[in-house]
C-alpha cells in the first residue's frame, strides 16, 4: 500500500471518529439542527472525508469503494 493511500485512509478513519465525538449527546436530529457548531464540525469532517476519498480514487482508480450501510 502506498504511503499516500495509507494517509488518506487514516484521515478518513480519524474524521469518522471526530464525527462520532461531535454527535455524542446529540442523539436526535432536532438537537443537531439547533447546534450550529456541531453542524459545522460534522460538515467539515464530511468534506475532509470526501476529499480523501477523491484522492484515493485518483491514486487507485480501480479500487472498490462501497458502503457498509
Amino acid at each position: 500500500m502506498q504511503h499516500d493511500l495509507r494517509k488518506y485512509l487514516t484521515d478518513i478513519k480519524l474524521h469518522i471518529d471526530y464525527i462520532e465525538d461531535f454527535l455524542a449527546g446529540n442523539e436526535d436530529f432536532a438537537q443537531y439542527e439547533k447546534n450550529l457548531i456541531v453542524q459545522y464540525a460534522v460538515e467539515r469532517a464530511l468534506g475532509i472525508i470526501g476529499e480523501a476519498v477523491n484522492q484515493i480514487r485518483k491514486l487507485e482508480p480501480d479500487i472498490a469503494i462501497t458502503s457498509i450501510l
Side-chain angles (χ1 to χ4, degrees), residues 17-27 31 35 38 42:
D17 291 344
Y18 285 163
I19 290 170
E20 289 175 345
D21 290 344
F22 298 149
L23 293 176
N26 290 294
E27 274 73 38
Q31 286 179 309
N35 192 332
V38 171
V42 169

Side-chain angles (χ1 to χ4, degrees), residues 6 8-9 20 38 42 46 51-52 58 65 68:
R6 198 173 296 191
Y8 294 128
L9 292 171
E20 289 175 345
V38 171
V42 169
L46 288 171
E51 184 55 33
K58 287 180 186 176
I65 298 176
I68 59 171

Side-chain angles (χ1 to χ4, degrees), residues 1 5 7 18-19 24-26 28 30-31 35 41 44-45 47 53-54 57 59 62 66 68:
M1 186 182 306
L5 183 61
K7 182 212 178 301
Y18 285 163
I19 290 170
N26 290 294
D28 65 41
Q31 286 179 309
N35 192 332
R44 179 72 178 124
V53 170
N54 286 335
R57 294 190 82 172
L59 288 173
D62 297 330
T66 59
I68 59 171

